[in-house]
Amino acid sequence: MKRKTREWLWLYRSEDGVVIQNGELFVIQELHHQGLSISAIARQTGLDRKTVRKYLQRGLTAPRYGPRAPRPQLLDPYRAYLRERIEAYPTIRATRLLREVRALGYTGGYTQLTAYLRDIRPVDERGFEHRFETAAGEQAQVDFAQFKTVFVDEPDRIRVIWLFSLVLGHSRFMTGQFVWRQDLATVLRCHLAAFAELGGVPQQILYDRMKTAVLGEDEARHVIYHPRLLELADHYGFAPRACAAYRAKTKGKVERPFSYVRDDFFLAGEFRDLDDLNRQFTDWRATVANARCHGTTQRIVRKAFVEEQPQLQSLPAVPFNAVLSLERRVSRDGMVSVNGNYYSVPDRTQRRVVDVHTLADEVRIYQDRRLLAVHPVLDGRGQRHVAAGHRRWPPPGPGGDRRRTTAGGVTLTSPGQAVARRDLGVYDRIGRALAAGERS
């Protein structure tokens, strides 16, 4: 009996011989019923006599152990900061927060951070989605997403801007830029920039049913694409494809990156103007988005793109020059309005209707089939571009204009130019010099 009892004790006793398990309780009670004293039970079980006496008095009730006191963690000094960030931006990415707290001095790991974020984030209840993969060079997905921001240069104005994004389906390599509008000229210009960045063209591009890509369906439910998009597709050799109606999530490879961009880059960011926003976005894509290990593919995005890029179609040898034609009238100050911006015509041009041809990257103005002016396409609204040689002095804009000289002329932007600060001593010296001249 003694040998069997010792085997039972070996199975149930913990390594340190202090924690009491249910099996040991039964053994203590069994030895006590056999008539062994507390000292004898203590010798056989290896337990202290006080421990044996305590559990004989307690009976067969299992011991209860309280929760351990929490141990200090490296994340403790940053918990308040993280709670504030999650309250302000519930969907902000853990990777973004990791960069922020490391900049504040956090030396712990990513797992400790995400475990804490799971406890403080609002519950996100979403259904399951079907995922599909494409071969290298086979498909890209294109879409726009709306963002709102307040630029540092315009602190009293909320700006609505759009993010154009083209994502390769195989490597998940992301291209894109923020723009003022979704018009056709912008869409074409964004495609050209994306193809140039990729150094090639995929075989197929998947679109949502935006009006600049899809006009509708015919009676046989065949998709009718915008003719200018078809010209672009024919020039670059890709096939446009529209996702099924009310099934925008079939473009998940470009839809999901929008939330990634918003949560990891855009939220809580500060941008001076649209150009500064795009500069920061380009840097973020190079150092974060396309340098990360993708959660679905488990590959470094840039390394996967290096493998996919040779499978893309080559860029055409000649530039794309599709033309959007419209008629406009010359204003009193010799400007022509196109998409909310103003472009100059030469002095002495007759104030009558002119033909405007908008290409992907430039605006051409004709009168009686004679080319009057060529301008770069302006982003935004309310800007004025005066081509070199059109004016002896650029026409003033309402409220005063800021002038930005370009290779082809001067761009007059919105009012609000700051007057340069000068030391008052300059005026004092000028006054003294003038006074001295009068005395002489």
Side-chain angles (χ1 to χ4, degrees), residues 19-186:
V19 178
I20 301 300
Q21 301 293 337
N22 287 337
E24 290 178 304
L25 289 176
F26 282 113
V27 171
I28 292 172
Q29 295 293 332
E30 178 65 23
L31 294 177
H32 181 63
H33 287 312
Q34 292 177 15
L36 274 68
S37 66
I38 291 176
S39 297
I41 294 173
R43 285 194 298 270
Q44 287 201 26
T45 59
L47 298 172
D48 188 86
R49 285 178 298 173
K50 294 179 182 179
T51 302
V52 173
R53 182 180 293 110
K54 180 178 67 174
Y55 286 107
L56 284 174
Q57 293 173 353
R58 181 176 294 181
L60 292 177
T61 304
R64 296 181 180 179
Y65 303 99
R68 292 182 178 179
R71 294 183 298 176
Q73 293 184 318
L74 296 173
L75 192 64
D76 289 346
Y78 310 98
R79 292 179 187 270
Y81 173 80
L82 292 170
R83 283 195 299 271
E84 291 178 1
R85 298 292 278 169
I86 291 298
E87 289 175 3
Y89 308 103
T91 59
I92 191 169
R93 295 271 171 164
T95 51
R96 166 80 174 269
L97 292 174
L98 179 64
R99 295 196 301 271
E100 292 182 3
V101 293
R102 280 185 172 166
L104 297 175
Y106 173 62
T107 58
Y110 180 68
T111 303
Q112 185 178 152
L113 173 67
T114 54
Y116 179 63
L117 293 178
R118 280 194 295 270
D119 293 337
I120 64 175
R121 279 192 196 275
V123 177
D124 184 13
E125 298 179 356
R126 290 181 295 182
F128 298 107
E129 297 179 1
H130 176 69
R131 178 169 60 89
F132 67 95
E133 297 297 338
T134 53
E138 179 181 350
Q139 188 186 84
Q141 298 183 4
V142 162
D143 204 0
F144 277 93
Q146 185 187 84
F147 289 73
K148 293 182 180 180
T149 190
V150 176
F151 290 125
V152 174
D153 287 356
E154 299 176 293
D156 299 326
R157 186 174 184 181
I158 298 176
R159 285 286 197 172
V160 176
I161 52 179
W162 298 88
L163 172 59
F164 170 91
S165 182
L166 183 148
V167 177
L168 291 178
H170 181 74
S171 64
R172 305 305 205 271
F173 188 84
M174 180 194 302
T175 69
Q177 58 182 303
F178 287 89
V179 295
W180 290 113
R181 57 174 69 88
Q182 298 184 78
D183 61 0
L184 185 58
T186 301

Side-chain angles (χ1 to χ4, degrees), residues 170-227:
H170 181 74
S171 64
R172 305 305 205 271
F173 188 84
M174 180 194 302
T175 69
Q177 58 182 303
F178 287 89
V179 295
W180 290 113
R181 57 174 69 88
Q182 298 184 78
D183 61 0
L184 185 58
T186 301
V187 170
L188 298 179
R189 192 165 62 252
C190 288
H191 276 78
L192 269 58
F195 295 153
E197 181 177 351
L198 296 175
V201 184
Q203 299 175 19
Q204 181 186 92
I205 297 182
L206 182 63
Y207 295 90
D208 196 359
R209 300 205 163 206
M210 52 187 184
K211 294 181 180 180
T212 48
V214 177
L215 299 181
E217 295 181 349
D218 60 16
E219 296 180 355
R221 301 189 65 82
H222 295 151
V223 175
I224 302 175
Y225 294 99
H226 197 290

Side-chain angles (χ1 to χ4, degrees), residues 330 335-336 338 343-345 354-357 363-367 370-375 390:
V330 179
M335 307 296 285
V336 176
V338 182
Y343 302 88
S344 67
V345 293
V354 294
D355 294 321
V356 178
H357 293 181
V363 173
R364 298 178 181 177
I365 302 175
Y366 294 85
Q367 189 174 70
R370 181 172 59 89
L371 180 63
L372 296 179
V374 178
H375 298 270
H390 281 192

